[in-house]
Amino acid sequence: MSQKVETREFQTEIKQLLDIVINSLYTEKDIFLRELISNAADATEKLRYLTLSGDEIADKDLPLEITIETDAEAHTLTISDNGIGMTREELIANLGTIAHSGSKEFINQLAQTSRESKGSSAGEVALSLIGQFGVGFYSAFMVADKVTLSTRSYRTEDESYIWTSDGSGSYTLEKGEASGRGTRIVLTLKPDAYKYAEPDNINKIIKQYSSFVPFPVKVNGEKANTVEAIWVKNPAEISDQEYEEFYKYLANAFDEPYYKLHFSSDAPLDIKALLFVPKENFESMGFSRMERGVNLFCKKVLIQEKSEAIVPEWARFIRGVIDSEELPLNISRETLQDNALVTKLNKVVTGRFLKFLDEQAKNDPDKYREFWDKFGNFLKEGAATDFVHKDALVKLLRFESNMTKDKELISLEQYVQRMQEEQKGIYYVSGYNRESIESGPYLEIFKDKGIEVLYVYETIDDYVLNSLPEFQGKKIIAAEQDSEDLPEISEKQSESEDEIPQDEVEGLLTWFKETLGGKVTEVRVSKRLVDSPAVVLSTFGTNSMARMMQLMNKDQGGAPPSILEINSSHPVMKGINDLHKNNDPFATAAAEQVLENAQIAAGLVVDPRGMVNRLNSILERAVAHKE
Ligand code: ADP
Ligand code: MG
């Protein structure tokens, strides 16, 4: 047998990661054990699955359990499993490189965070994330200055290999002695981590983090965990603490869950589900896209971890398990997505979850509000993409409006309840923020009439409302869009002398249209302006959509053509009319500026070059007139 020892370099990202693990995560060393036990459990779970699907397996009779041995004299801790083990190629791929580009990105971010904010908060964030991105194994180097891993794959013809590293830049590989299937990891503890060679400490950590590992974990021969599928139990028999521990185990989390939903049903399908909403949304904190977090079981046997088939994509923030006896045990993981039963399960569970959120929102609006602030974007994404659950999702949306105060939010249901009788629908207006909407021209008529308007700040809101023709029979209407359903100013009693004389209005409109050419599709007198001289109305969507399209084709220059509505009782319009009647060329500059001001108020991007010259000539004239 060749005794060759080969030394190999770690991939750059692994070196970075090791550096973070060893130098920044020193506060919570205990988690290394959770990571190694969970790897052992994953490998065992995979083996159990292979057994069920009838694959050929080496050492078929080995018990499916995880064993831990402590040696206080030698200062070592050994963790062994009889799982699937690894081939030489798998060793190199799994423990020498990081394959997912998401994880690479994560490590770069983590490296940056820990550089920027030395101290506890960086450590905390890193800690909450470390288990979620497939970087858990390296946590062994928090406590060990040498890790020796021997492994043999379940494939019958495979040999065993030994991997060792001290956590600096490289590792070694060599062939091992003949041994049984699975993986055995020996940690040679650092002097400040000798306590991990004491069984009491190990038992305590297992209780805290690994109680729910679905295989026996034995410490020096004695079973240390409960091995329990708590989701199949009656909720009345489960304590809050058990739920919390289970959540921590399942989600690799350090805090308690924000919401918990535990239910079972027999009809239309047999389902047992235990779902959690976490406290924090890491995706919104700038980390990479979350993976799905619900595991699919059949009679307590794991069919698929982080199943993409069992909850819709927008629900990727949910953590939990779904167990159904109706699933065939030997179902192929590849075809889960196309399995009609799984699709049905998905529909029932997702529907039940949305109903739960609706109840929560009604029973404890403040608590729901906090959830909405963190996770609302997932629900919006759902409302825009999930046609199966659209109605239920739309009910959960929350908005600010011209009538909400102090960060209060309302639902579409509440809006409809307090609508005015003659109102033609549900109005909304988009803008960068509350201030910009309230100082803009679109709100004037609504203020004047005391009509409620929802404010939306993000393109996704706009997209959702735009794709929704109605809610509870009420039309949904964008205040920025040309529509007959917008409210109008009440008829004026008499013509005031500030107003442009009725017989001159037509001429002014025609002149405006000729002057502005292709920049406008139509010019007309507005029935909704109070304080502003003019407003643009979009012809094909809302302003924020037009803005987004502008940003996508940057080289187009200028805003897209729209309808220009002018306020014929505004002094600016009166002035322009007088200039135009006197054939003063300054009228043209004023008209162009009116249009661009209205486009800016709409949040559109105007070409700044022409505008600066024009504004200067306008200024020049204004200054001269003051003399
Ligand atoms: P993750 O578990 O999230 O994938 P880890 O860093 O914990 O990330 O482990 C990396 C990979 O190494 C695992 O995905 C697995 O393929 C392999 N591995 C780790 N421990 C074991 C083990 N005990 N048995 C078999 N494979 C293992
Ligand atoms: Mg792991």
Side-chain angles (χ1 to χ4, degrees):
M1 189 202 270
S2 116
Q3 287 301 311
K4 216 177 89 204
V5 180
E6 185 186 350
T7 302
R8 300 175 71 106
E9 288 278 301
F10 284 117
Q11 189 191 24
T12 319
E13 281 83 4
I14 302 266
K15 289 184 195 166
Q16 279 177 336
L17 180 65
L18 281 166
D19 184 56
I20 297 166
V21 164
I22 295 166
N23 297 314
S24 308
L25 290 180
Y26 46 82
T27 48
E28 285 284 347
K29 290 204 170 80
D30 288 1
I31 66 154
F32 86 92
L33 188 61
R34 180 189 76 175
E35 296 301 331
L36 297 183
I37 291 179
S38 105
N39 285 349
D42 286 350
T44 312
E45 190 78 66
K46 284 177 190 156
L47 190 96
R48 172 155 74 179
Y49 184 82
L50 289 170
T51 317
L52 289 171
S53 48
D55 278 42
E56 213 170 307
I57 282 161
D59 308 318
K60 240 187 154 86
D61 299 329
L62 285 174
L64 295 188
E65 62 184 25
I66 298 163
T67 57
I68 296 180
E69 290 147 67
T70 58
D71 185 335
E73 263 160 43
H75 308 300
T76 61
L77 178 67
T78 304
I79 298 141
S80 319
D81 65 69
N82 300 322
I84 56 168
M86 284 178 268
T87 63
R88 183 173 179 279
E89 286 65 40
E90 285 167 342
L91 263 179
I92 295 170
N94 296 340
L95 301 183
T97 61
I98 293 182
H100 311 284
S101 60
S103 308
K104 286 187 190 170
E105 197 182 305
F106 159 68
I107 289 157
N108 288 333
Q109 281 170 338
L110 206 58
Q112 198 175 341
T113 325
S114 61
R115 255 198 312 279
E116 279 165 10
S117 49
K118 282 261 173 260
S120 68
S121 73
E124 261 166 48
V125 174
L127 195 60
S128 331
L129 285 157
I130 198 117
Q132 302 181 16
F133 289 83
V135 291
F137 171 78
Y138 306 96
S139 61
F141 291 101
M142 292 197 285
V143 298
D145 42 29
K146 183 172 177 213
V147 174
T148 309
L149 179 147
S150 345
T151 185
R152 179 156 167 241
S153 164
Y154 72 93
R155 293 173 188 85
T156 42
E157 72 282 8
D158 238 76
E159 295 174 285
S160 73
Y161 289 92
I162 301 174
W163 179 104
T164 64
S165 179
D166 62 3
S168 54
S170 61
Y171 60 93
T172 66
L173 267 185
E174 66 193 288
K175 268 196 191 150
E177 304 285 303
S179 69
R181 179 199 72 220
T183 303
R184 172 185 161 91
I185 302 174
V186 182
L187 307 182
T188 307
L189 297 168
K190 293 180 181 176
D192 65 355
Y194 283 171
K195 66 171 182 180
Y196 297 112
E198 288 160 27
D200 285 354
N201 291 327
I202 296 301
N203 279 317
K204 226 175 12 201
I205 303 172
I206 291 174
K207 172 106 194 59
Q208 190 179 358
Y209 293 117
S210 308
S211 293
F212 296 97
V213 170
F215 302 99
V217 179
K218 291 183 177 162
V219 178
N220 300 339
E222 276 179 53
K223 194 160 143 232
N225 65 332
T226 30
V227 195
E228 216 176 12
I230 98 169
W231 61 91
V232 302
K233 286 176 49 176
N234 179 348
E237 292 162 15
I238 306 171
S239 70
D240 287 347
Q241 197 194 338
E242 278 176 295
Y243 276 125
E244 194 179 312
E245 281 174 6
F246 180 69
Y247 167 73
K248 286 183 179 170
Y249 160 71
L250 181 82
N252 264 357
F254 291 86
D255 47 5
E256 64 268 35
Y258 195 72
Y259 282 135
K260 175 201 86 209
L261 170 62
H262 188 184
F263 71 93
S264 63
S265 77
D266 305 321
L269 290 170
D270 165 84
I271 300 174
K272 296 182 178 61
L274 176 51
L275 305 177
F276 300 98
V277 172
K279 253 196 181 143
E280 296 301 334
N281 172 358
F282 289 114
E283 193 171 306
S284 78
M285 289 162 73
F287 291 95
S288 48
R289 199 176 174 80
M290 271 184 212
E291 283 182 71
R292 237 63 70 89
V294 178
N295 300 340
L296 183 59
F297 286 81
C298 168
K299 296 181 207 148
K300 304 191 219 171
V301 174
L302 182 66
I303 303 291
Q304 192 177 41
E305 209 185 0
K306 301 179 180 170
S307 170
E308 300 204 346
I310 199 67
V311 290
E313 180 161 20
W314 61 260
R316 59 190 178 277
F317 64 97
I318 304 175
R319 299 282 169 264
V321 301
I322 293 169
D323 196 319
S324 177
E325 300 201 353
E326 283 165 70
L327 285 167
L329 252 183
N330 59 355
I331 187 170
S332 134
R333 294 180 194 192
E334 288 69 43
T335 59
L336 277 175
Q337 203 86 37
D338 308 319
N339 182 286
L341 184 68
V342 176
T343 309
K344 232 183 201 167
L345 275 172
N346 177 329
K347 190 170 166 195
V348 173
V349 172
T350 308
R352 182 69 180 76
F353 176 74
L354 289 171
K355 194 172 137 227
F356 164 81
L357 283 184
D358 194 48
E359 287 159 8
Q360 293 298 313
K362 297 208 160 97
N363 297 341
D364 189 347
D366 290 342
K367 184 169 180 191
Y368 180 76
R369 168 64 205 251
E370 220 177 289
F371 161 78
W372 171 258
D373 284 341
K374 285 180 185 155
F375 294 92
N377 275 331
F378 291 101
L379 303 186
K380 291 179 192 176
E381 182 185 322
T385 55
D386 184 344
F387 299 103
V388 180
H389 298 106
K390 190 165 189 136
D391 290 348
L393 281 154
V394 165
K395 271 170 79 180
L396 294 168
L397 302 178
R398 294 294 180 272
F399 302 91
E400 282 185 47
S401 83
N402 54 339
M403 304 202 173
T404 58
K405 287 186 202 72
D406 300 331
K407 293 274 156 195
E408 174 203 350
L409 297 178
I410 62 162
S411 64
L412 290 174
E413 259 171 318
Q414 285 167 301
Y415 182 103
V416 169
Q417 273 162 18
R418 62 199 206 193
M419 263 170 79
Q420 294 187 15
E421 226 166 89
E422 67 280 10
Q423 228 177 292
K424 296 209 173 125
I426 300 171
Y427 295 108
Y428 74 97
V429 61
S430 72
Y432 294 117
N433 51 37
R434 192 174 189 100
E435 290 69 34
S436 81
I437 290 176
E438 294 189 339
S439 63
Y442 298 99
L443 210 60
E444 292 178 6
I445 180 73
F446 297 95
K447 266 195 234 160
D448 197 60
K449 298 233 150 193
I451 294 175
E452 182 154 32
V453 195
L454 303 175
Y455 294 173
V456 305
Y457 306 125
E458 287 168 56
T459 315
I460 180 136
D461 298 314
D462 221 27
Y463 182 85
V464 170
L465 290 178
N466 224 297
S467 66
L468 202 68
E470 54 167 57
F471 178 82
Q472 295 186 347
K474 308 289 179 203
K475 250 190 182 173
I476 299 199
I477 307 159
E480 306 132 50
Q481 208 168 349
D482 180 31
S483 159
E484 289 180 351
D485 297 318
L486 293 177
E488 295 180 354
I489 298 244
S490 325
E491 285 298 324
K492 294 234 173 64
Q493 309 307 350
S494 60
E495 206 171 280
S496 89
E497 60 177 52
D498 300 331
E499 222 160 309
I500 300 170
Q502 209 48 54
D503 54 348
E504 292 177 17
V505 170
E506 268 316 306
L508 181 67
L509 294 178
T510 313
W511 173 82
F512 249 99
K513 173 76 186 87
E514 278 164 8
T515 307
L516 298 175
K519 294 178 197 157
V520 291
T521 55
E522 185 188 343
V523 182
R524 64 189 183 209
V525 174
S526 176
K527 292 180 187 139
R528 40 192 81 100
L529 290 176
V530 181
D531 301 316
S532 301
V535 66
V536 288
L537 293 180
S538 166
T539 52
F540 65 93
T542 56
N543 289 330
S544 75
M545 290 203 173
R547 182 162 59 233
M548 197 176 67
M549 282 167 61
Q550 270 195 297
L551 293 175
M552 291 193 307
N553 337 290
K554 277 215 171 67
D555 44 338
Q556 298 286 315
S562 50
I563 296 166
L564 179 70
E565 286 197 350
I566 63 169
N567 179 353
S568 59
S569 32
H570 197 283
V572 166
M573 285 303 153
K574 184 121 195 317
I576 291 179
N577 189 45
D578 292 342
L579 290 170
H580 150 64
K581 279 193 300 183
N582 295 332
N583 287 323
D584 187 330
F586 188 63
T588 303
E592 284 171 346
Q593 194 59 46
V594 161
L595 173 66
E596 290 195 356
N597 286 353
Q599 288 171 333
I600 290 172
L604 298 169
V605 186
V606 302
D607 181 2
R609 287 159 301 188
M611 179 144 129
V612 171
N613 288 338
R614 190 186 320 114
L615 276 177
N616 280 334
S617 73
I618 294 173
L619 257 183
E620 218 171 276
R621 185 159 163 138
V623 174
H625 273 244
K626 278 275 175 253
E627 307 266 304

